[in-house]
Amino acid sequence: MLEVYIDGASAGNPGPSGIGLFIKGEGHHVQLSEYVGIYDNHTTEFMALIRGLEEAKKRTSGIVSVKSDSQIVVAAVEKQYAKNPVFKALLDQALEIAESFEFFFIKWIPESNNKAADQLARKAIQQKQTLD
């Protein structure tokens, strides 16, 4: 089973945004920190979900367990519904990727249990701001 910890961060709302992924399991230990542009925090959380699933798909077709501290993302996936049109498009993209796994789970976790992904998301913003 792959465990995929995801987080999105924005410096402002909207503002410069980054995503962080921490993937472990099945012999993998992956950390990804990526600047994604100017977005609001909720959008970056959905973007982190998509990237996390894309990275998981490169490594397994089996069991994937995503952990997120975003209640909006977790609720949207569980209900397979998002009212906001931007979130709906991102959710649909994520659900399409999730269908490629034998089993897919998502679970809400407190921020305190998601520090690795959070630090990676913030690092992406800091690196971008340093380059500017």
Side-chain angles (χ1 to χ4, degrees), residues 5-129:
Y5 292 82
I6 62 169
D7 203 12
S10 297
N13 206 20
S17 300
I19 60 171
L21 308 174
F22 176 63
I23 301 172
K24 66 180 185 175
E26 296 185 12
H28 299 285
H29 187 87
V30 179
Q31 294 183 49
L32 188 132
S33 179
E34 192 173 284
Y35 179 78
V36 293
I38 306 295
Y39 293 99
D40 64 82
N41 191 55
H42 294 312
T43 301
T44 62
E45 296 280 1
F46 278 97
M47 294 171 84
L49 172 62
I50 291 167
R51 281 295 279 131
L53 292 173
E54 288 172 345
E55 291 299 317
K57 189 175 179 177
K58 293 176 186 177
R59 292 161 176 84
T60 190
S61 61
I63 302 170
V64 173
S65 176
V66 172
K67 312 282 174 80
S68 173
D69 59 26
S70 171
Q71 292 179 338
I72 287 176
V73 167
V74 172
V77 171
E78 288 176 342
K79 294 175 186 175
Q80 297 190 3
Y81 175 79
K83 185 175 181 178
N84 179 309
V86 172
F87 300 165
K88 182 178 180 346
L90 295 169
L91 174 63
D92 290 347
Q93 194 177 344
L95 291 173
E96 186 176 327
I97 300 166
E99 287 176 8
S100 68
F101 302 115
E102 186 178 339
F103 292 104
F104 165 74
F105 305 94
I106 190 165
K107 180 180 179 184
W108 178 84
I109 58 173
E111 286 180 24
S112 60
N113 293 359
N114 204 26
K115 289 186 179 186
D118 177 65
Q119 289 173 348
L120 291 165
R122 293 178 189 283
K123 178 181 169 185
I125 297 169
Q126 292 167 350
Q127 286 178 334
K128 171 64 174 160
Q129 290 175 336

